[in-house]
């Protein structure tokens, strides 16, 4: 049996979501998913995650500056070197070595690449690019294969020095699919939502960062749809929205496939995992009040390739939600995961 190690990180939910969706498809292989942050010495991983979270909460514009700096050669090299702090523990966990190593997180990519360069990892290394846009730090010239979620991302990866890039469907779990009429009715009942009327799901990742309160108000003020807000792990935001009179507000939702079955459209701010899940569920998606940094980069790509429009005003949001289909759902690659698995396994 082929031993496959996937290295992700609990930074938001996108990297982990892709890792576990991939593991779900590799059921006939011996698959282990590792968290890169746990491989860093002492409590560095926890502190790094907390710093990133705090930065997005308190000073989101600074994330723009951080990513811009990391897009230049010197800071990018330093970040890649910092990733090697995880190499000792990573090498110990890998043991005699897997048959294939896969990364879904940029710093994990560079740690695995460093082990390959030292000869401590002899297995092929594949990188799954989780975002529609590709930052310099996401790419390693040592990796044998990069898998991109769209052709635009593939082109960016090649420009950053990737050796081989293939386009594959975004990785989402199999339960994310269009709902039947009866499934939609049951989902609304399960979540206590109105049985009729247009519902717009407002999401901002697992941490619930960004201008969710303002977005919920804009959706409600449009008169076109009722906002259904998912705050993730941001309990303070959930309490704030409930106190402000919003009726359909949730914290962390375990059954996102079912909640997506209940709504008619999705309003998001980062272009990450939930966007891919919503598109796989056949829902129209718009970007609105997007996060700085990767949020804006993803919004630009998704808008440019015609998948998810980037809405920049409350009036534009109302018009988009009033449309029958605010976005071209079919613009992403087909959702069949078999080509993706074949591309991965053929390098073993």
């Amino acid at each position: 049996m082929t031993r496959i190690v996937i290295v992700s990180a609990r930074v938001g939910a996108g990297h982990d979501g892709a890792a576990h969706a991939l593991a779900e498809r590799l059921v006939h292989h011996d698959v282990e998913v590792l968290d890169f942050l746990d491989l860093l010495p002492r409590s560095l991983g926890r502190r790094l995650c907390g710093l990133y979270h705090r930065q997005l909460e308190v000073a989101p514009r600074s994330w723009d500056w951080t990513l811009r700096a990391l897009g230049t050669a010197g800071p990018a090299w330093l970040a890649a070197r910092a990733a090697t702090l995880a190499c000792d523990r990573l090498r110990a966990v890998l043991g005699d070595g897997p048959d294939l190593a896969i990364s879904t997180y940029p710093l994990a990519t560079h740690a695995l690449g460093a082990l390959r360069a030292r000869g401590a990892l002899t297995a092929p290394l594949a990188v799954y690019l989780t975002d529609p846009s590709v930052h310099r730090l996401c790419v390693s010239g040592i990796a044998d294969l990069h898998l991109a979620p769209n052709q635009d991302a593939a082109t960016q990866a090649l420009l950053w020095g990737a050796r081989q890039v293939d386009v594959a469907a975004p990785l989402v779990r199999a339960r994310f699919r269009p709902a039947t009429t009866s499934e939609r009715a049951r989902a609304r009942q399960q979540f206590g939502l109105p049985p009729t009327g247009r519902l717009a799901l407002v999401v901002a990742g697992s941490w619930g960062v960004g201008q969710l309160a303002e977005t919920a108000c804009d959706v409600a003020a449009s008169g076109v749809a009722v906002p259904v807000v998912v705050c993730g792990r941001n309990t303070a935001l959930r309490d704030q929205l409930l106190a402000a009179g919003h009726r359909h507000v949730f914290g962390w939702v375990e059954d996102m496939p079912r909640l997506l079955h209940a709504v008619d459209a999705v309003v998001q701010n980062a272009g990450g995992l939930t966007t891919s899940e919503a598109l796989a569920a056949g829902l129209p998606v718009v970007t609105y009040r997007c996060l700085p940094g990767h949020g804006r980069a993803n919004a630009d790509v998704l808008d440019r390739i015609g998948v998810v429009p980037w809405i920049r005003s409350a009036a534009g949001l109302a018009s988009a939600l009033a449309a029958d289909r605010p976005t071209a759902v079919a613009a992403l690659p087909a959702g069949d995961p078999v080509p993706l698995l074949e591309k991965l396994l053929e390098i073993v």
Side-chain angles (χ1 to χ4, degrees):
M1 183 179 291
T2 305
R3 183 187 175 209
I4 300 173
V5 172
I6 305 171
V7 188
S8 179
R10 59 183 182 278
V11 180
H15 304 290
D16 274 350
H20 289 290
L22 182 55
E24 183 180 86
R25 287 160 169 77
L26 292 165
V27 291
H28 300 299
H29 304 273
D30 177 14
V31 180
E32 183 178 6
V33 179
L34 305 176
D35 191 316
F36 173 82
L37 300 181
D38 292 336
L39 301 171
L40 289 168
R42 301 186 181 88
S43 61
L44 183 58
R46 177 177 54 79
R47 286 184 284 149
L48 179 65
C49 186
L51 176 64
Y52 171 59
H53 187 184
R54 191 68 174 159
Q55 185 177 13
L56 288 180
E57 275 190 325
V58 176
R61 289 186 182 277
S62 69
W63 186 236
D64 255 338
W65 309 332
T66 301
L67 282 186
R68 198 174 302 123
L70 290 172
T72 59
W77 180 85
L78 286 173
R81 287 288 298 169
T84 63
L85 291 171
C87 281
D88 287 346
R89 290 185 181 179
L90 180 56
R91 183 170 58 243
V93 172
L94 293 178
D96 293 334
D99 299 296
L100 173 64
I102 305 171
S103 171
T104 65
Y105 177 61
L107 295 184
T109 297
H110 291 286
L112 288 165
L115 291 182
R116 275 289 300 274
R118 300 173 190 173
L121 174 68
T122 57
L125 172 59
V127 176
Y128 184 82
L129 301 168
T130 57
D131 282 307
S133 64
V134 179
H135 189 271
R136 179 183 197 139
L137 201 58
C138 298
V139 175
S140 168
I142 298 174
D144 300 278
L145 173 67
H146 288 71
L147 290 169
N150 59 66
Q151 187 57 56
D152 193 275
T155 301
Q156 291 180 54
L158 288 170
L159 290 173
W160 288 126
R163 290 162 52 190
Q164 178 184 343
V165 184
D166 286 321
V167 177
L171 275 172
V172 296
R173 296 192 175 194
R175 288 190 61 210
F176 291 97
R177 55 169 180 75
T180 64
T181 301
S182 61
E183 285 175 330
R184 183 173 181 271
R186 288 197 299 272
R188 289 196 172 201
Q189 183 178 31
Q190 175 183 328
F191 285 98
L193 300 173
T196 59
R198 191 167 182 82
L199 301 179
L201 184 65
V202 179
V203 292
S206 63
W207 286 340
V209 293
Q211 298 176 302
L212 257 72
E214 294 87 345
T215 298
C217 288
D218 290 345
V219 171
S222 73
V224 175
V226 173
V228 177
V229 188
V230 174
C231 301
R233 296 185 173 91
N234 192 338
T235 55
L237 176 63
R238 180 177 181 272
D239 294 343
Q240 174 192 337
L241 289 171
L242 288 171
H246 292 283
R247 295 180 57 194
H248 310 297
V249 182
F250 302 92
W252 180 260
V253 175
E254 291 289 347
D255 195 352
M256 276 300 291
R258 183 67 60 89
L259 184 55
L260 287 171
H261 283 174
V263 301
D264 301 283
V266 173
V267 183
Q268 58 81 35
N269 68 353
L273 178 65
T274 304
T275 298
S276 298
E277 292 171 344
L279 292 170
L283 290 171
V285 183
V286 299
T287 302
Y288 185 65
R289 293 184 180 270
C290 62
L291 290 175
H294 65 286
R296 287 180 182 155
N298 288 341
D300 179 66
V301 171
L302 290 171
D303 186 71
R304 178 157 35 85
I305 66 177
V307 177
V308 175
W310 184 357
I311 308 300
R312 300 166 191 258
S313 69
L317 178 65
S319 297
L321 292 175
D324 287 337
R325 303 300 285 176
T327 183
V329 174
L332 284 174
D336 179 8
V338 174
L340 180 148
L341 299 187
E342 288 178 348
K343 289 169 184 175
L344 283 172
L345 295 174
E346 72 184 12
I347 66 172
V348 176

